[in-house]
């Protein structure tokens, strides 16, 4: 293991260089949801390809129906073993609302956080910072040993934040090439807390749609037409209000049919984690869990489906009073899914639910943006065992097996299309403000993450 | 009456000059709701003062707590009779959404309408075009006779579209000066149809508020927090949905206590007007009246209260999918009122209604923008009789007495503060798209309106 020690020492010595490369990556506003940033997405892909080539990878920009992907290969020390496939995404969420950022979202800034220095920027953790953890590990192996200790493949996509619409087709197109791998390594999840590493064993799925309601042929004066003309904003509120009952349960027919109850050992294991719900909510200024009544906190987060309005707009939103009845109303609505819930079936049910509630003169369109089935990954694979050893060695305590309320659609795609299981070894924290203004990543998380990845490569070299 | 004939002939001859002055007025984007247009509001006031001085008025810009008012006096031919007080407003509604205009809202354009040429511009009818009807009549009297045939006062405000927040204080401040008048003449209402003139005898009141809901201390990731964190957008929809029952009745406690039933002669008179509901709705792409069940159309429009959401916003409204739970949600909600409903009591009830429905962790603010009590004007005054004679002479048919779904707060203020009744003689049409994109005013309505005002001045000269 003296080689690994040299690699870890090299990582510690390279902090400044790692930060410089990381900040270059963060300065690229690769917002996949916004067409205006399409060129920035490509720049981020090209930046990654250059980084990988510098450390001995053959790296290519591969076109997709949407933003390009980066695919890279490194034979390692020349063993014939099947490579590890590292997955990440270079795209980030929109930074809006800009005015709530304490520093510009695409000018990474070092600040003092609860546990020491943190980097504040859009993408600081999700997923550019997490990609940097394994990228830095591979560079350190390159610097010290001339190559990673095992064959490595890399796939970084640019559409994760919009639900990876092009990825399945891309995996199918390149299946022959990508299928030959031991497992997929993904760093896009959280630790249990700043001191306790974690492997995520389950991810909620997602279904996301936009509801567009149309009524009159134009905006109307609320005095001359009030009481006569259908108001699509009131109608939209009425329909959305009916999506939940008084106990917080989602009212789409059959919504809970494929939702398993959590019990026995799993529930006991989750209870033993001692989740501090009061602190979790307190960090965001809340005190009472929303959603369904009478659930244990971790069950609520990891094992129950949800329905949230992510955005709503229509009519006049300017200063003061405008007495108008709008012609259109719009809302973005998403569902988190668990068990065997089928995202497409959920969106079918949503569309039917909306259309059944339309009065005469109203018209509705339901646009579908993205969907991902829920995922449960095997907890007993050789690669998960190796990851747990690497994390235990790095943190001096056992990694816990957790769930995640979020979704990583590609994990299910890797299994379905390539037959590959994933190892979800992530280094984010609950207070990273992912998808929010002032997203941050603890510097300690990045460095320990890089060291953990260096260890994992050594574990899997044999 | 040969003088009146000369004045009418002068009006007909002056069409081009009237249009030129009218278009100058329309080119000033005097949007009272938007602070960026404050200077434009003052420009509109100054434009009016210049116009009035040109035709012998002593005209002044008078400051208010908000946008300035224009007050002008003309002694007429020197009789000692109490003057007529002409009221109007130079401010206009915001023009948003700009992209739906077929021509720029502040570049007045002549187009071909259903009944001949129309002017398309924000304010074309409401209220700049209607102000032009009496302004042109006074100029014609000035050109032909050197002065209007009766003493005239003018008050034009710049805050009607935001609910005249400064006007009551202004009327109280200048009560001694303004109180001495026969009646108030207002042109800010509609004709019955393009061929049938009308006097409006009742106006609905209004109460307008903005609901701001606050939950978490920041925007959240809907995956990590979905099911745990209160979603203020869902909450806002739930509260707004509860504002109406399944029959379209407003659910604020006591809302209908002061709403009188319409029956007897009034109902018979309204029935005799033969309102074409199918055409009224068809013009805006609708077929079924919304709001309360089982009402006659004119009762619905003129004699029943309403509650409409005028705008709603929160969360992500950009392209594509953003999986965020917003920290705030906002809606603008307004009520049209009738009978003895008290706008402040209604807004008190709204605020209580919202706050009673807040779960723990949610906070609400209710901002009040404007309010106006409902108004019924006397139908038998000398001035109303004179207006009916003037309209009958101009149109060759009797003017009908109608209601209006809209509100003109100042009418109630004139009575309460100055003890003056109003004559609501307006020349708009139902299809003028007031407050909407492509607002228009029929050229024939403007010219017949000007001729009618010339006749009214003659009627009241004696």
């Amino acid at each position: 293991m003296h080689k690994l020690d040299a690699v870890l020492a090299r990582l510690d010595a390279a902090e400044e260089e790692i930060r410089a490369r990381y900040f270059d990556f963060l300065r690229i506003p690769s917002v996949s949801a916004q067409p205006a940033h399409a060129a920035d997405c490509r720049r981020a892909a090209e930046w990654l390809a250059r980084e990988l080539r510098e450390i001995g990878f053959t790296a290519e920009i591969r076109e997709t129906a949407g933003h390009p992907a980066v695919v890279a290969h490194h034979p390692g020390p020349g063993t014939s073993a099947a490579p590890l496939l590292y997955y990440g995404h270079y795209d980030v969420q929109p930074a809006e609302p800009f005015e709530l950022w304490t520093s510009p979202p695409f000018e990474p800034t070092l600040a003092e956080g609860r546990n020491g220095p943190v980097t504040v920027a859009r993408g600081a953790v999700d997923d550019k910072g997490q990609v940097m953890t394994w990228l830095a590990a591979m560079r350190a192996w390159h610097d010290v040993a001339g190559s990673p200790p095992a064959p490595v493949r890399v796939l970084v996509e640019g559409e994760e934040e919009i639900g990876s619409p092009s990825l399945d087709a891309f995996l199918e197109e390149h299946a022959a090439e990508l299928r030959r791998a031991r497992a997929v390594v993904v760093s896009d999840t959280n630790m249990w807390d700043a001191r306790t590493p974690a492997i995520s064993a389950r991810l909620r799925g997602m279904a996301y749609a936009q509801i567009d309601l149309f009524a009159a042929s134009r905006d109307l004066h609320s005095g001359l037409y009030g009481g006569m003309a259908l108001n699509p904003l009131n109608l939209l509120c009425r329909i959305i209000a009916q999506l939940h009952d008084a106990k917080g349960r989602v009212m789409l027919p059959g919504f809970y049919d494929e939702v398993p109850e959590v019990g026995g050992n799993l529930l006991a294991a989750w209870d033993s984690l001692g989740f501090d719900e009061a602190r979790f909510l307190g960090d965001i200024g809340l005190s009472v869990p929303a959603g369904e009544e009478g659930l244990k906190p971790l069950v609520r987060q990891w094992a129950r489906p949800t329905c949230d309005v992510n955005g709503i707009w229509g009519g006049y939103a300017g200063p003061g009073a405008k007495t108008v009845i709008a012609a259109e109303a719009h809302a973005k609505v998403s569902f988190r899914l668990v068990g065997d819930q089928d995202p497409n079936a959920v969106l079918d049910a949503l569309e039917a639910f909306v259309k059944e509630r339309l009065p005469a003169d109203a018209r509705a369109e339901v646009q579908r943006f993205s969907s991902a089935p829920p995922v449960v990954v095997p907890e007993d694979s050789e690669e998960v065992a190796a990851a747990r050893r690497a994390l235990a060695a790095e943190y001096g305590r056992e990694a816990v097996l957790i769930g995640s309320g979020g979704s990583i659609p590609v994990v299910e795609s890797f299994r379905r299309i390539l037959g590959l299981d994933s190892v979800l070894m992530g280094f984010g924290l609950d207070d990273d403000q992912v998808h929010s203004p002032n997203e941050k990543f603890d510097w300690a998380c990045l460095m320990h993450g890089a060291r953990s990845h260096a260890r994992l490569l050594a574990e899997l070299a044999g």
Side-chain angles (χ1 to χ4, degrees), chain A:
Chain A
M1 292 302 294
H2 118 289
K3 222 179 222 174
L4 172 60
D5 296 334
V7 170
L8 297 176
R10 168 65 193 159
L11 275 171
D12 296 340
E15 275 201 41
E16 287 313 315
E17 179 191 339
I18 291 168
R19 177 176 295 119
R21 295 180 187 280
Y22 173 43
F23 279 23
D24 286 344
F25 195 16
L26 291 174
R27 285 188 193 99
I28 305 170
S30 44
V31 180
S32 50
Q34 299 174 342
H37 287 295
D40 297 315
C41 289
R42 186 169 294 272
R43 277 173 53 220
E46 286 161 351
W47 183 90
L48 277 167
R50 275 196 309 277
E51 285 285 307
L52 288 159
R53 289 187 195 111
E54 279 183 27
I55 57 173
F57 282 72
T58 55
E60 298 175 352
I61 306 293
R62 301 262 182 101
E63 298 307 322
T64 74
H67 301 300
V70 179
V71 175
H73 298 255
H74 198 302
T79 71
S80 64
L84 286 160
L85 177 56
Y86 283 77
Y87 163 84
H89 63 93
Y90 64 73
D91 64 316
V92 299
Q93 280 278 318
E96 287 87 346
F98 292 105
E99 65 276 13
L100 296 186
W101 285 78
T102 54
S103 55
F106 298 107
E107 294 174 22
T109 308
L110 216 50
E112 203 47 42
R114 179 189 284 161
N115 314 303
V118 303
T119 300
V120 177
R122 169 59 81 230
V125 59
D126 181 15
D127 185 39
K128 289 175 173 175
Q130 300 241 38
V131 165
M132 281 306 297
T133 59
W134 48 260
L135 208 50
M138 290 172 189
R139 181 177 286 272
W141 270 102
H142 168 82
D143 294 346
V144 169
S147 90
V152 169
R153 282 188 182 148
V154 165
L155 168 60
V156 182
E157 70 156 316
E159 300 189 308
E160 197 273 347
E161 297 296 0
I162 54 174
S164 303
S166 313
L167 197 82
D168 282 9
F170 185 85
L171 293 181
E172 280 153 11
E173 183 186 346
H174 302 283
E177 167 190 14
L178 298 171
R179 176 175 291 124
R180 187 172 170 279
R182 287 183 64 163
V184 185
V185 178
V186 181
S187 287
D188 199 12
T189 51
N190 282 359
M191 300 173 60
W192 173 247
D193 60 35
R195 286 159 38 259
T196 315
I199 304 277
S200 293
R202 49 173 59 216
L203 302 166
R204 290 197 290 194
M206 182 172 67
Y208 198 113
Q210 179 171 318
I211 301 170
D212 304 303
L213 294 186
F214 305 90
S217 52
R218 58 176 175 84
D219 286 358
L220 304 168
H221 185 300
S222 69
L224 303 183
Y225 291 93
M228 291 289 284
L230 176 66
N231 186 324
L233 299 182
N234 289 83
L235 174 61
L236 181 61
C237 290
R238 198 151 63 241
I239 292 172
I240 287 171
Q242 293 175 42
L243 282 171
H244 292 87
D245 69 8
K247 295 186 178 310
R249 286 174 61 90
V250 177
M251 298 302 285
L252 295 184
F255 188 72
Y256 292 96
D257 291 355
E258 309 296 332
V259 176
E261 292 302 314
V262 175
N265 299 343
L266 187 56
L267 194 54
W270 289 357
D271 286 345
S272 71
L273 292 172
F275 176 66
D276 184 344
E277 181 177 68
R279 180 192 173 147
F280 180 83
L281 289 172
D283 282 344
I284 53 171
L286 301 177
S287 63
V288 182
E292 290 177 273
E293 288 183 355
L295 294 175
K296 298 202 173 195
L298 293 183
V299 172
R300 184 187 296 282
Q301 263 184 292
W302 298 345
R304 297 298 294 179
T306 68
C307 170
D308 276 299
V309 177
N310 303 110
I312 191 166
W313 67 101
Y316 182 68
K322 183 178 181 183
T323 51
V324 64
I325 296 176
E328 304 181 7
H330 308 275
K332 294 179 191 275
V333 178
S334 66
F335 300 84
R336 296 290 167 169
L337 308 174
V338 301
D340 295 319
Q341 288 184 294
D342 172 357
N344 294 318
V346 168
L347 293 183
D348 291 342
L350 174 67
E351 183 158 357
F353 187 91
V354 170
K355 293 187 171 172
E356 285 161 8
R357 284 158 178 78
L358 297 180
D361 293 340
R363 186 168 60 79
E365 291 172 10
V366 177
Q367 305 179 51
R368 302 184 180 201
F369 284 137
S370 65
S371 70
V375 169
V376 175
V377 302
E379 306 181 356
D380 49 8
S381 71
E382 198 181 315
E383 291 75 20
V384 167
R388 298 184 77 171
R389 288 196 301 275
L391 290 169
E394 177 61 24
Y395 288 90
R397 53 165 59 189
E398 284 301 312
V400 293
L401 285 169
I402 63 172
S404 167
S407 312
I408 307 178
V410 66
V411 171
E412 188 272 344
S413 300
F414 282 131
R415 182 196 293 157
R416 177 168 38 83
I417 299 168
L418 303 181
L420 298 175
D421 283 319
S422 297
V423 179
L424 304 176
M425 184 172 92
F427 302 95
L429 297 177
D430 286 341
D431 68 352
D432 283 346
Q433 312 203 168
V434 168
H435 292 201
S436 302
N438 306 313
E439 176 181 352
K440 63 88 175 169
F441 192 28
D442 285 35
W443 187 252
C445 290
L446 189 151
M447 289 306 297
H448 283 299
R451 290 170 53 95
S452 301
H453 274 296
R455 293 179 187 275
L456 176 60
L457 282 163
E459 288 284 346
L460 293 169

